[in-house]
Amino acid sequence: MEFITREIASTNWLTILFLVCIGLLVTAKGLNALRFSDFIMLFSNNKYIISYQKPNKLSSPFNAVLLVLQIASVSLFLFLCFDVFEISVASSEIMLFFKIAIIYTVIVLFKLLVEKIIGTIFSIDNIIDEYLFYKVSYRNFMGVLLLPINIVFVYAFQPTKIICIILFVLLVVLNLIVLISFYRKNENIILNHLFYFILYLCALEIAPYFILYKLIK
């Protein structure tokens, strides 16, 4: 009988990552259990946005913890997509993940900083703060949704290209729905500054993700 060697990829670092992510969820709930309950119901009602948007709590520990979770979940999803599509990258698995996470973090924080600066320059801090809170809250929630999906992909079955594409499209569509709902709410302000709004979309909502792909590649 001829023995065939089977290569089994180590998932130790992924297990540690998932434990850290679960720990972040527990921490967020521990920081404010009532706020966490409202956050979990974000897509079913807007109680969370109404209750916590006005006090400008974007930089609160609660949001910071969920932002870290978002970065970890999105970076891992992108990492798994790279593996499924067999995109050649001159890095080990763990180094590729950290590369994706670092670049994604830099882009997210840079966008937040630039948007805050724009708000200060044009004296529209209130609407920019509302916009950032609205956008970050929904993206943090999507990060939470991606966590169990990533766990299934790592331990249950490897996703196919079709599944990755469908999930990616769903995430893009959800992001568009979130952004469009806010834009419609403030459509009068946008129409009065349409040219600058188009520049903003191209520079800060579309270009960074092309840069993310190119930098990782």
Side-chain angles (χ1 to χ4, degrees):
M1 180 184 294
E2 183 179 349
F3 291 96
I4 300 174
T5 59
R6 178 187 175 193
E7 184 178 349
I8 302 177
S10 173
T11 58
N12 290 340
W13 68 274
L14 289 170
T15 302
I16 294 171
L17 178 63
F18 287 133
L19 289 175
V20 170
C21 290
I22 293 171
L24 290 171
L25 275 179
V26 173
T27 301
K29 186 174 182 179
L31 288 170
N32 193 327
L34 179 60
R35 182 173 179 176
F36 185 81
S37 298
D38 292 338
F39 172 76
I40 291 299
M41 302 299 293
L42 191 58
F43 268 119
S44 61
N45 61 66
N46 59 353
K47 181 182 177 182
Y48 178 81
I49 299 296
I50 294 172
S51 300
Y52 300 100
Q53 184 174 12
K54 293 298 182 184
N56 189 18
K57 295 183 178 180
L58 180 63
S59 58
S60 67
F62 182 88
N63 265 330
V65 168
L66 290 176
L67 181 60
V68 174
L69 177 60
Q70 177 206 146
I71 290 168
S73 291
V74 173
S75 299
L76 183 55
F77 176 71
L78 293 174
F79 165 80
L80 294 174
C81 288
F82 267 65
D83 184 51
V84 169
F85 285 92
E86 299 177 347
I87 299 174
S88 179
V89 181
S91 301
S92 62
E93 285 190 349
I94 190 169
M95 287 305 297
L96 173 59
F97 169 77
F98 278 115
K99 183 186 292 186
I100 294 171
I102 290 170
I103 296 173
Y104 183 75
T105 302
V106 169
I107 287 176
V108 168
L109 295 181
F110 177 76
K111 283 172 86 280
L112 289 174
L113 178 62
V114 170
E115 286 163 337
K116 287 288 287 182
I117 292 172
I118 290 173
T120 302
I121 291 174
F122 293 99
S123 301
I124 51 173
D125 298 270
N126 289 337
I127 190 169
I128 288 295
D129 287 341
E130 288 183 16
Y131 173 62
L132 293 179
F133 182 85
Y134 193 86
K135 182 170 63 171
V136 169
S137 296
Y138 276 98
R139 289 182 179 175
N140 284 346
F141 187 77
M142 290 177 203
V144 173
L145 292 179
L146 273 177
L147 179 59
I149 294 173
N150 288 334
I151 292 175
V152 170
F153 285 170
V154 170
Y155 296 110
F157 67 93
Q158 186 176 17
T160 63
K161 292 180 180 180
I162 296 297
I163 292 175
C164 283
I165 291 172
I166 291 173
L167 278 174
F168 184 79
V169 170
L170 283 175
L171 289 174
V172 171
V173 169
L174 284 174
N175 268 289
L176 287 175
I177 292 172
V178 168
L179 294 177
I180 290 171
S181 65
F182 186 88
Y183 298 153
R184 288 186 64 184
K185 180 183 172 184
N186 298 275
E187 111 181 86
N188 290 334
I189 298 174
I190 291 172
L191 289 176
N192 289 334
H193 303 87
L194 188 59
F195 176 72
Y196 297 106
F197 175 70
I198 293 172
L199 283 179
Y200 163 79
L201 283 181
C202 295
L204 291 176
E205 291 295 351
I206 299 174
Y209 300 103
F210 285 103
I211 295 172
L212 173 64
Y213 173 76
K214 291 294 183 182
L215 287 175
I216 295 169
K217 199 102 188 264

